[in-house]
Amino acid sequence: MNTISLESGKAEQFLAAGAIEALLPQVEAANRALEDGTCAGNDFLGWMHLPSSITAEHLADLKATAEVLRANCDTIVVAGIGGSYLGARAVIEALGNQFEWLTNNGENPVMLFAGNNIGEDYLAELCEYLKGRRFGVINISKSGTTTETALAFRLLKKQCEDQRGLEMARKVIVAVTDAKKGAARVTADKEGYKSFIIPDNVGGRFSVLTPVGLLPIACAGFDIEALVKGAADMEKATAPEVPFAENLAARYAALRNALYNAGKKIEILANYQPKLHSMNEWWKQLYGESEGKGGKGIFPAAVDLTTDLHSMGQWIQDGERTIFETVISVAQPRHTVLFPHDEENLDGLNFLEGRRVDEVNKMAELGTQLAHVDGGVPNLRIVMPELNAYYLGQLIYFFERACGISGLVLGVNPFDQPGVEAYKKNMFALLGKPGYEAETAAIRERI
Ligand code: PA5
């Protein structure tokens, strides 16, 4: 098995005969329109052929920059929000050791994330943690004006300069931003930081295979070539020429839309590996921001299992029947742990003695799937042979391509996000930002 796969029988049993077939012309037209660049939002299709067009020179430049940071830093803070950080975090956490990064094993830097909230305590505790550490910063912002990221970067830049000296700070601060505009670009040029460009035609949530994701992933010590190769293989495997039955992205897009049309308004992405928690978060942004508009769109929710079976399990099994579930299942874990013997056997679990923990996890997964299907929850299953960079590259591109197709079939522009401006406008009005005088007066009337 050298590819991820999609099992759909336990979802299709909930659909009327012909429901998928009826969507095929739209699905195929959407995939063709993506390929030909003729769809809504076609000025943001740069992600489509990114994997196959990334050059060896570009990867070498990213790896060389990562080496400079790794050689000079015990800690690297990635400042960014939304599409400017979720993909990097998802891959780093999926590939990393869940505990070692906290203590820094000496081979790889501790990777931290900032600029993704406005929590005063978060920032205070981060700055405190960084005291005395040889830290560097990757400042990621396409617009260069995002409040959360700009705030964190102001603090981090000053602390890095104070702690490490101006010359070293300029070596260990790297910018990933627009080619020409925005504060991050201006600062990078003024200070002489090494910088990478986020292409104009790649939106934030589709940018993990640009330096936005690749630089932090390389800094963490993971194989960006394998990640890109996995994505490039999936780019080929999801092209419009690939027949529907073999085209994972087209199938997933068709199934989601058929389920939505059948009243399933919420999709729950579930994993059985804690390492995939941030992949859930990345997926939620990808689908939420791409499809939730114009009064339409599947609500993307996510759970970590079996953990959340002890919190959300009741709702999923027995709540309103407007959900379907998509499980990411990893066939082979990296390690082997056997169920231990206990002399007293008070928990009655000695019958599992000597068996792999993963066998228990897999039976929990299968038992849960069957229970949820019995409870009226259509189930899709994406199987990854292993959690490595290559299959993560496949998974990322699969989800991106399916998202483009699915949004177009739904009848929205999957590549814009007009709704996210509303809170920013109110926040700046409430804070009295110069230029917002009329909005400030209007909003104060309301409170
Ligand atoms: O997907 C998106 O466009 C957003 O999530 C952005 O990535 C996020 O708002 C950060 O924007 P920027 O990179 O301009 O700081």
Side-chain angles (χ1 to χ4, degrees), residues 49-78:
H49 299 298
L50 256 183
S52 58
S53 57
I54 291 176
T55 61
E57 291 72 34
H58 182 54
L59 289 174
D61 190 12
L62 287 161
K63 281 165 52 178
T65 306
E67 272 319 308
V68 171
L69 287 167
R70 287 168 62 84
N72 290 287
C73 304
D74 57 24
T75 306
I76 297 172
V77 187
V78 180

Side-chain angles (χ1 to χ4, degrees), residues 14 264 268 272 303 305 308-325 364-379:
F14 289 86
K264 305 300 178 190
I268 302 179
Y272 284 80
V303 288
L305 304 181
D308 291 337
L309 289 175
H310 300 259
S311 62
M312 293 301 290
Q314 172 61 36
W315 202 105
I316 298 171
Q317 187 67 42
D318 213 15
E320 194 180 22
R321 301 298 72 186
T322 48
I323 56 173
F324 67 99
E325 193 176 24
E365 182 190 318
L366 182 56
T368 304
Q369 186 194 46
L370 295 172
H372 288 177
V373 168
D374 289 346
V377 183
N379 253 255

Side-chain angles (χ1 to χ4, degrees), residues 216-281:
I217 294 165
C219 285
F222 300 121
D223 185 347
I224 54 174
E225 268 131 359
L227 188 80
V228 169
K229 170 85 173 82
D233 286 351
M234 189 53 72
E235 182 187 320
K236 275 197 217 112
T238 53
E241 299 71 37
V242 178
F244 178 77
E246 293 154 36
N247 192 320
L248 293 192
R251 284 178 55 216
Y252 182 51
L255 285 155
R256 299 178 81 248
N257 273 278
L259 290 162
Y260 182 67
N261 295 340
K264 305 300 178 190
K265 306 292 185 194
I266 301 167
E267 178 176 10
I268 302 179
L269 188 72
N271 67 67
Y272 284 80
Q273 300 290 342
K275 285 179 191 297
L276 286 173
H277 172 81
S278 288
M279 188 55 73
N280 282 359
E281 298 303 308

Side-chain angles (χ1 to χ4, degrees), residues 81-84 140-144 146 149 204-205 285 289 417:
I81 192 167
S84 287
I140 308 178
S141 178
K142 189 175 183 196
S143 64
T146 302
T149 308
R205 59 189 174 276
Q285 188 207 359
E289 224 169 56
Q417 56 281 331

Side-chain angles (χ1 to χ4, degrees), residues 31-54:
N31 203 12
R32 171 53 62 196
L34 285 171
E35 190 73 26
D36 295 346
T38 53
C39 59
N42 57 2
D43 42 349
F44 279 99
L45 292 178
W47 58 273
M48 284 264 305
H49 299 298
L50 256 183
S52 58
S53 57
I54 291 176

Side-chain angles (χ1 to χ4, degrees), residues 89 115 137 160 186 207 246 274 281 310 316 320 343 427 442:
R89 184 169 200 162
V137 184
C160 190
V186 174
S207 69
E246 293 154 36
E281 298 303 308
H310 300 259
I316 298 171
E320 194 180 22
E343 208 50 57
M427 177 178 77

Side-chain angles (χ1 to χ4, degrees), residues 62 76-89 92 111-116 137-150 152-153 156 173-178 183-185 196-198 204 207-208 210-217 219:
L62 287 161
I76 297 172
V77 187
V78 180
I81 192 167
S84 287
Y85 106 104
L86 283 164
R89 184 169 200 162
I92 289 169
M111 300 298 296
L112 300 176
F113 297 90
N116 56 60
V137 184
I138 307 176
N139 185 32
I140 308 178
S141 178
K142 189 175 183 196
S143 64
T145 56
T146 302
T147 308
E148 291 87 341
T149 308
F153 185 65
L156 292 167
I173 298 178
V174 177
V176 181
T177 187
D178 187 84
R185 167 54 54 203
F196 289 92
I197 292 167
I198 310 175
S207 69
V208 53
T210 72
V212 168
L214 296 179
L215 181 62
I217 294 165
C219 285

